[in-house]
Amino acid sequence: MPQVPQTFFDALAVRTWCGLALQALGRAREEIDAINVFPVADGDTGTNLYLTLESAFAAVEAAFAGHEAGSGAEAFPGSSRAAAPSLASLSPSSPSLADAARAMAHGALIGARGNSGTILAQLLRGMAQVFAADGEVAHTDARGLRLALRHAADSARQAVAHPVEGTVLSVASAAADAAEEADGDCGAVARAAYQGARAALAATPAQLAVLERAGVVDAGGRGLVAVLGALVETLTGESGDLRGGVIPAYAGLTGPTGHVGDAVDDGDDDGDDGDDVDDAAACSDRSEAGEEGGPAFEVIYLLEADDAAVTRLRTRLDALGDSLVVVGGDGLWNVHVHVDDAGAAVEAGVEAGRPYRIRITHFGVGDVHTRGGGRPPRERVQRAVVAVVPGEGLAGLYTEAGATTVLARPGEPPASGELVAAVRRAHAREVVLLPNDADLRHTAAAAAEQARTEGIRVALIPTRSAVQGIAALAVHEPDRRFDEDVVAMTSAAGATRYAELAVAERQSWTMAGICQAGDVLGLIDGDVAVIGSDVLATAETVLDRMLQAGGELVTIVLGDEAPESVAAHLETRVRETYLAVDTVVYRGGRQGALLLIGVE
């Protein structure tokens, strides 16, 4: 469904923007990772930007969920997934702009990864401070958006100890400059900011020699362009080239892979889980030091401290290393620095206040915390399957088949960190990851990328439903070569058509027409194909449509709220109508959907 434009900035605009920006970074993640060259070419800027915004989006969704719980409103099935909510999925009531903006800023702050992610968090915080100005009426018009973009750019630059041009800071400043010159409504301002950012991004190689030598643009700036493109789509409904792919401003630039638009990150990726260097480039004294030796460690932590203590901390950390970025305020800060003495950086934080969520990364080695310190690691198994499952029943089924599972409760999709934790828990050298949900593809890709930095070989099979995962797991053979196993599992999943039945909770537009609250919806391959009033009749229609194209095995997964008779009814239907087609039935438990159907 096309995105409905927002003509002014409110809480729904914040929610939509975060969802669309997360999608945009998911699509661009690999491209941004590939162009990260300054100051450390660790290739995770896109991943870290995605993880930072994922945390911001989750916080906004939590704010909406809390408000809806208090008001008794419920969303349309699936509306809480990491995607832009459609008009039909929005609650008739919502939190205030101030609450949504603060949630966005707080989520980004506590989830910021790397230098670029830390700067992105400060950009979002700067905008939130304007939208949620204490004691004032929040700015929701074009003038307010101009102020927000300017304050975001200025506050991000102030957070960096030694700003360098040719990085995400330059792109943010250019966006704010263009916005200030724009006339018209919020959409016109956002469009001007986006165009200004694109032009500034194309100019970054001329500002940083390391980018020019590599023939790429700044990676952190490329990520910000994607985020601003999502803002345009939120406020105007326009998508066009904002939906990803090569941005015209890349014309003539080729990166390490030889592809036009292989834009380079400003190098903020320093190796940790932070795409730090990309913007770190913006915060590094040694603007030319991308290829030379630098500090050995990246240190990141959250810090509870007052403003005076943080001012002293900035001075001390600046003397210890480089790429220093300190963002936040109101007693909570996110600290990022590259140093040779990681202990001294942590001690400085202890003296300033209470540091926690401390992450220390030795460049080229991996996260100290994920490596278990100096203790000898226990032996890993050779291969494991990690799968996201929508209900307790399926979790048991997958576990019996040997998979490590991540439970996705209705309305609560797992974040990438949960998937990474499951991959670690599997403790295998090789992992096959089954997201079992089309909306989790970017989250799963980010998790896979993060796990690979820890030395784990991960193959992501883009399963879109738990029934496709069942088909893949059925042909899994851990004793054969990894590539062969992945190909076989991918083929089995791809040969399985999938459907689900759900109940509409409010009136909505669908591919099959307009549904009313209480209607039974039959979704085939992710799109509403049937609207009915009876579960049995709708399930039968869906199954018949799927079997028109043939099939040998029908898999039915019953949810807790499905009628007891539906499985027997469908089994009888298959047996009497379709020759040589077998049926298998599982109980999925509280899986959200009334029924899952797979045909292979």
Side-chain angles (χ1 to χ4, degrees):
M1 180 182 300
Q3 177 61 43
V4 178
Q6 289 273 155
T7 56
F8 57 93
F9 218 86
D10 61 3
L12 297 183
V14 172
R15 185 189 199 188
T16 303
W17 179 33
C18 286
L20 288 171
L22 188 62
Q23 290 179 349
L25 287 175
R27 291 189 297 269
R29 181 187 59 80
E30 291 185 356
E31 172 198 335
I32 296 173
D33 282 346
I35 62 175
N36 169 43
V37 297
F38 178 87
V40 180
D42 281 340
D44 61 357
T45 293
T47 297
N48 289 315
L49 286 172
Y50 179 88
L51 295 174
T52 300
L53 196 53
E54 180 185 52
S55 181
F57 179 75
V60 173
E61 286 295 286
F64 270 80
H67 193 275
E68 290 165 354
S71 64
E74 294 185 18
F76 182 80
S79 64
S80 60
R81 291 174 178 173
S86 68
L87 181 63
S89 71
L90 297 176
S91 168
S93 61
S94 62
S96 67
L97 171 60
D99 289 341
R102 291 190 187 105
M104 172 185 71
H106 181 74
L109 177 67
I110 64 174
R113 302 295 186 98
N115 194 327
S116 289
T118 304
I119 292 179
L120 176 61
Q122 188 68 4
L123 288 167
L124 296 180
R125 176 180 171 81
M127 294 188 72
Q129 287 175 325
V130 173
F131 291 133
D134 292 333
E136 300 178 20
V137 176
H139 300 286
T140 63
D141 57 4
R143 176 177 176 274
L145 184 56
R146 293 188 194 97
L147 291 173
L149 290 167
R150 169 52 61 196
H151 186 60
D154 291 347
S155 61
R157 188 171 288 270
Q158 291 166 7
V160 174
H162 302 283
V164 171
E165 299 307 322
T167 65
V168 67
L169 297 181
S170 302
V171 176
S173 294
D177 291 343
E180 288 178 337
E181 298 298 320
D183 296 321
D185 60 10
C186 284
V189 172
R191 194 182 296 110
Y194 171 71
Q195 296 294 349
R198 291 208 314 175
L201 178 65
T204 55
Q207 295 174 293
L208 270 182
V210 64
L211 302 182
E212 185 176 29
R213 287 195 296 271
V216 296
V217 296
D218 175 66
R222 169 65 180 94
L224 180 58
V225 166
V227 172
L228 291 173
L231 181 62
V232 176
E233 186 171 358
T234 298
L235 296 171
T236 69
E238 299 173 4
S239 54
D241 63 355
L242 306 182
R243 300 295 294 178
V246 176
I247 290 181
Y250 290 168
L253 293 176
T254 58
T257 63
H259 296 298
V260 173
D262 256 341
V264 163
D265 174 349
D266 52 31
D268 148 355
D269 275 304
D270 18 339
D272 139 17
D273 56 347
D275 70 303
D276 29 21
V277 172
D278 157 287
D279 325 335
C283 59
S284 173
D285 298 342
R286 46 189 182 88
S287 60
E288 298 292 320
E291 301 133 356
E292 301 174 3
F297 296 97
E298 179 187 55
V299 178
I300 303 176
Y301 50 78
L302 292 178
L303 177 70
E304 293 179 355
D306 59 34
D307 291 0
V310 170
T311 299
R312 294 191 295 271
L313 176 66
R314 289 177 189 269
T315 301
R316 180 167 179 186
L317 291 180
D318 192 29
L320 287 176
D322 59 28
S323 294
L324 173 62
V325 184
V326 181
V327 304
D330 301 322
L332 180 62
W333 310 81
N334 191 305
V335 179
H336 171 282
V337 67
H338 299 172
V339 294
D340 282 319
D341 190 344
V346 175
E347 288 173 5
V350 173
E351 292 179 5
R354 187 178 79 87
Y356 60 102
R357 292 194 187 181
I358 300 168
R359 299 183 67 88
I360 300 173
T361 299
H362 188 284
F363 295 132
V365 175
D367 193 328
V368 170
H369 296 97
T370 62
R371 291 169 50 240
R375 293 171 296 178
R378 62 187 177 90
E379 185 66 21
R380 292 181 178 272
V381 299
Q382 183 59 33
R383 189 175 309 159
V385 176
V386 173
V388 180
V389 292
E392 297 84 352
L394 281 179
L397 174 68
Y398 273 75
T399 300
E400 289 177 7
T404 298
T405 61
V406 178
L407 187 62
R409 297 176 177 82
E412 300 178 17
S416 56
E418 295 176 70
L419 302 188
V420 173
V423 170
R424 293 170 181 156
R425 193 166 67 248
H427 204 67
R429 298 183 183 90
E430 302 167 338
V431 171
V432 179
L433 181 57
L434 306 175
N436 290 339
D437 187 336
D439 289 333
L440 288 178
R441 63 191 185 281
H442 297 317
T443 300
E449 186 64 31
Q450 188 171 356
R452 291 183 188 115
T453 66
E454 299 174 13
I456 304 171
R457 188 180 185 187
V458 181
L460 171 60
I461 298 179
T463 49
R464 295 170 290 177
S465 171
V467 292
Q468 288 190 323
I470 291 172
L473 200 55
V475 300
H476 169 54
E477 293 185 13
D479 293 333
R480 64 184 163 196
R481 291 179 60 249
F482 184 62
D483 292 342
E484 294 175 355
D485 198 29
V486 171
V487 168
M489 295 176 72
T490 302
S491 297
T496 302
R497 298 185 298 282
Y498 64 97
E500 68 176 87
L501 263 65
V503 177
E505 294 178 356
R506 63 171 53 89
Q507 185 185 67
S508 177
W509 295 298
T510 75
M511 297 292 291
I514 299 176
C515 70
Q516 304 296 329
D519 283 347
V520 180
L521 308 179
L523 294 86
I524 300 177
D525 292 335
D527 293 322
V528 176
V530 181
I531 300 175
S533 57
D534 179 75
V535 174
L536 290 177
T538 305
E540 184 175 298
T541 302
V542 168
L543 184 58
D544 286 343
R545 289 196 185 184
M546 296 179 74
L547 286 172
Q548 284 176 358
E552 299 175 355
L553 176 65
V554 174
T555 300
I556 299 171
V557 183
L558 293 175
D560 277 350
E561 299 181 3
E564 289 293 331
S565 60
V566 67
H569 179 84
L570 294 180
E571 283 187 286
T572 300
R573 175 73 176 176
V574 172
R575 184 172 60 253
E576 295 179 351
T577 309
Y578 302 96
L579 299 178
V581 178
D582 295 323
T583 305
V584 59
V585 178
Y586 302 108
R587 293 200 169 274
R590 195 171 70 93
Q591 61 185 23
L594 293 173
L595 195 69
L596 300 177
I597 301 174
V599 174
E600 52 185 299

